[in-house]
C-alpha cells in the first residue's frame, strides 16, 4: 500500500474560541476506494466535497460503518493515539457484520497515522480538547437493488473538537417504548443505521429536558443496555455493574479501558444483566451510589438522574461522584500522556 498525497495550495485558518464537537474540518482527508475485489492505494487530498450519484447504495440502504478516535497533544508536544488497534479491529468486525470488505488492521493504522501526521497542527492544545478522527466506509455501487455493494469508499476525516458533553451531572430518560437493538441485529456493529434509529427517542427525551436516553433491551424492555452515545456503568453498594457484551451493545473501547482501570483500583466488577427494577430498588435503598457514561467522544459523563415511568432516581445528590471523577482524571491522564499505562498510548512520530 502506497499513500498518494495531493497538496492543497493554501491551508485553512484555524478556528478560534469554542471548538464544539465535529464542527470544523481540517485541511485534508484520506480516501481509499474498493473496486474489482480489492483496495486501491489511499489518497490524502484537500478536504473538499465529494460528488455522488443519487442512486448510490448507501443513500438508500445504509450500508455504512464508522469509528471514533482521538489524537491528543501532550504537554511536551507529542502526539498520541489511544488504543488505535482496538478501533482497527472493531472496524473489521463492523464491516464483516455489514457485509462490507475489511481493511486489515495494519493498513487502517497506517492510514490514520499518515493523516494525523499531516494534520498534527490541528490538534488543539486547550484543556480537554483533541483532534477527533472519524474513519468511515460506505457502499458506492449505483442502483436500487437490495444487495451488498461491490464497490466502497473508505474515508478518514478529522475535526478539532472540545468535549462532547461538559463534565457535569446529566439527566437521562430511560426509554420504555423504542428500542435500539436486539441480539442478532446490528447493535454491536458501529454503523450509522443504529444511530439513525435512535434519534427519535433522543429528540423526545430532549424535549422533556433530558440530555439522552438509556436504552433497555429490545425483547423485554427490562435490562439496561447503553446510553445514546456511550456505554453506561453504575456503582451499586460499592461494586461496579455494567451490561455484558452479549451482542446488542457496542463494545466500547473506553468501556473496556474503564473496566480495566477500575479493576486496577481494586473495585469488584460485575458484567451482568441489570434490570431497571433492580436499579429502582437500589435507588430506594440508597445503594445506587454513582452512574456514568463512557465513550470516545463522551469520555466520562456523570449521570445525576435517571427517569423511568414517573420515578426519578437521583444519583449522589446530583453531584459528580468520587469514582466518576477519579476515573475521568485517570483516563485523561493516560490519554494525554501524563501517565503511562500498559501499551495504551501510541505515539505518532
Ligand atoms: C464516539 O464516541 O466516538 C462515537 O462514535 C459517538 C458518536 C456517535 C458521537
Amino acid at each position: 500500500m502506497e499513500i498518494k498525497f495531493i497538496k492543497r495550495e493554501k491551508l485553512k485558518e484555524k478556528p478560534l474560541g469554542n471548538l464544539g464537537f465535529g464542527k470544523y474540518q481540517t485541511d485534508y482527508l484520506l480516501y481509499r476506494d474498493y473496486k474489482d475485489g480489492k483496495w486501491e492505494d489511499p489518497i490524502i487530498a484537500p478536504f473538499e466535497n465529494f460528488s455522488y450519484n443519487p442512486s448510490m447504495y448507501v443513500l438508500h440502504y445504509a450500508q455504512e460503518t464508522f469509528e471514533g478516535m482521538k489524537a491528543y497533544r501532550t504537554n511536551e508536544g507529542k502526539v498520541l493515539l489511544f488504543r488505535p488497534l482496538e478501533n482497527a479491529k472493531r472496524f473489521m468486525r463492523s464491516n464483516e457484520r455489514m457485509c462490507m470488505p475489511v481493511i486489515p488492521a495494519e493498513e487502517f493504522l497506517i492510514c490514520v497515522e499518515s493523516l494525523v501526521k499531516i494534520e498534527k497542527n490541528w490538534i488543539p492544545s486547550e484543556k480537554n480538547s483533541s483532534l477527533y478522527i472519524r474513519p468511515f466506509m460506505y457502499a458506492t455501487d449505483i442502483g436500487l437493488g437490495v444487495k451488498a455493494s461491490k464497490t466502497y469508499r473508505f474515508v478518514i476525516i478529522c475535526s478539532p473538537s472540545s468535549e462532547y458533553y461538559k463534565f457535569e451531572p446529566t439527566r437521562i430518560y430511560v426509554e420504555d417504548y423504542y428500542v435500539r437493538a436486539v441480539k442478532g441485529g446490528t447493535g454491536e456493529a458501529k454503523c450509522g443505521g443504529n444511530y439513525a434509529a435512535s434519534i427519535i427517542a433522543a429528540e423526545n427525551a430532549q424535549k422533556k429536558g433530558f440530555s439522552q436516553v438509556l436504552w433497555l433491551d429490545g425483547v423485554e424492555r427490562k435490562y439496561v443496555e447503553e446510553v445514546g452515545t456511550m456505554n453506561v456503568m453504575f456503582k451499586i453498594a460499592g461494586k461496579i455493574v455494567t451490561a455484558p457484551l452479549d451482542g446488542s451493545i457496542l463494545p466500547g473501547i473506553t468501556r473496556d479501558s474503564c473496566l480495566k482501570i477500575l479493576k486496577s483500583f481494586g473495585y469488584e466488577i460485575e458484567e451482568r444483566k441489570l434490570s431497571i427494577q433492580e436499579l429502582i430498588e437500589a435507588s430506594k435503598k440508597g445503594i445506587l451510589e454513582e452512574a456514568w457514561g463512557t465513550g470516545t467522544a463522551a469520555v466520562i459523563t456523570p449521570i445525576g438522574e435517571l427517569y423511568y415511568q414517573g420515578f426519578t432516581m437521583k444519583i449522589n445528590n446530583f453531584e459528580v461522584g468520587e469514582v466518576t471523577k477519579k476515573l475521568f482524571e485517570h483516563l485523561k491522564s493516560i490519554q494525554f500522556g501524563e501517565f503511562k499505562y500498559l501499551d495504551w498510548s501510541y505515539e505518532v512520530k
Side-chain angles (χ1 to χ4, degrees):
M1 181 180 80
E2 205 172 297
I3 302 182
K4 192 171 153 198
F5 179 55
I6 305 173
K7 205 167 185 314
R8 62 184 298 146
E9 281 182 9
K10 193 169 174 291
L11 297 182
K12 297 182 194 174
E13 295 280 326
K14 307 270 188 307
L16 295 171
N18 184 16
L19 293 167
F21 178 80
K23 252 192 345 202
Y24 298 100
Q25 292 106 36
T26 60
D27 289 303
Y28 293 96
L29 52 72
L30 176 146
Y31 71 93
R32 185 181 197 194
D33 288 330
Y34 183 86
K35 268 188 208 141
D36 302 324
K38 58 180 187 332
W39 285 106
E40 299 187 336
D41 278 340
I43 300 174
I44 293 181
F47 194 114
E48 274 164 14
N49 291 352
F50 290 148
S51 73
Y52 62 89
N53 182 314
S55 288
M56 186 165 69
Y57 271 27
V58 67
L59 300 177
H60 302 273
Y61 307 122
Q63 214 190 351
E64 188 266 359
T65 53
F66 72 96
E67 270 303 320
M69 312 167 70
K70 284 175 175 172
Y72 306 87
R73 183 180 299 289
T74 71
N75 286 336
E76 301 81 45
K78 285 187 192 162
V79 174
L80 300 181
L81 298 173
F82 181 71
R83 306 186 74 189
L85 182 61
E86 299 307 312
N87 295 92
K89 291 197 284 197
R90 185 172 63 186
F91 196 51
M92 291 174 77
R93 295 196 301 273
S94 299
N95 288 339
E96 271 160 14
R97 174 61 182 86
M98 300 303 284
C99 222
M100 295 163 70
V102 297
I103 296 205
E106 185 146 315
E107 295 184 9
F108 176 96
L109 293 178
I110 293 172
C111 289
V112 170
E113 191 176 359
S114 307
L115 184 63
V116 169
K117 243 186 236 176
I118 288 175
E119 298 295 54
K120 64 175 186 299
N121 291 340
W122 281 89
I123 306 174
S125 28
E126 289 87 1
K127 196 166 170 271
N128 296 340
S129 297
S130 55
L131 186 68
Y132 187 77
I133 306 164
R134 171 54 61 84
F136 59 107
M137 192 194 293
Y138 55 94
T140 53
D141 269 8
I142 305 306
L144 297 176
V146 182
K147 54 184 188 292
S149 179
K150 289 194 167 49
T151 62
Y152 295 87
R153 177 163 280 193
F154 169 60
V155 188
I156 309 177
I157 56 173
C158 301
S159 175
S161 296
S162 50
E163 61 231 314
Y164 196 86
Y165 301 110
K166 285 209 161 28
F167 187 70
E168 51 193 41
T170 49
R171 299 179 67 219
I172 303 277
Y173 183 86
V174 182
E175 177 59 49
D176 62 352
Y177 178 74
Y178 295 107
V179 297
R180 176 186 173 274
V182 288
K183 248 187 229 173
T186 57
E188 64 181 349
K190 204 156 172 64
C191 61
N194 286 343
Y195 294 81
S198 75
I199 288 171
I200 188 164
E203 290 279 307
N204 288 345
Q206 274 154 23
K207 280 185 206 138
K208 293 179 191 137
F210 298 92
S211 64
Q212 288 203 57
V213 301
L214 171 65
W215 297 106
L216 298 178
D217 75 277
V219 177
E220 297 180 77
R221 290 181 183 71
K222 186 171 163 190
Y223 298 104
V224 167
E225 298 232 310
E226 64 183 69
V227 173
T229 54
M230 50 198 191
N231 295 114
V232 64
M233 296 179 182
F234 303 89
K235 179 165 168 265
I236 304 174
K239 291 183 191 162
I240 311 297
V241 186
T242 194
L245 299 180
D246 62 1
S248 56
I249 72 165
L250 186 83
I253 294 157
T254 313
R255 172 191 180 279
D256 179 73
S257 307
C258 287
L259 293 182
K260 292 192 164 102
I261 292 171
L262 289 163
K263 219 175 265 176
S264 79
F265 285 168
Y267 286 103
E268 199 176 314
I269 312 285
E270 294 183 351
E271 287 181 73
R272 63 165 172 90
K273 279 182 181 293
L274 169 66
S275 71
I276 189 69
Q277 220 44 52
E278 182 183 337
L279 270 187
I280 292 173
E281 292 310 317
S283 167
K284 284 183 179 162
K285 281 194 215 148
I287 55 168
L288 173 54
E289 293 155 350
E290 292 185 44
W292 61 88
T294 67
T296 300
V299 195
I300 304 293
T301 300
I303 298 174
E305 184 185 309
L306 289 168
Y307 175 89
Y308 177 68
Q309 295 186 341
F311 184 75
T312 297
M313 293 170 249
K314 225 288 160 90
I315 302 168
N316 196 39
N317 226 1
F318 209 77
E319 278 167 23
V320 178
E322 205 181 302
V323 177
T324 311
K325 188 155 187 329
K326 201 159 97 176
L327 187 58
F328 177 64
E329 295 301 339
H330 198 71
L331 181 65
K332 264 194 333 173
S333 74
I334 299 171
Q335 291 175 330
F336 283 88
E338 286 150 28
F339 178 70
K340 187 169 161 37
Y341 191 67
L342 305 172
D343 57 354
W344 285 1
S345 286
Y346 178 88
E347 187 178 352
V348 175
K349 287 189 179 143

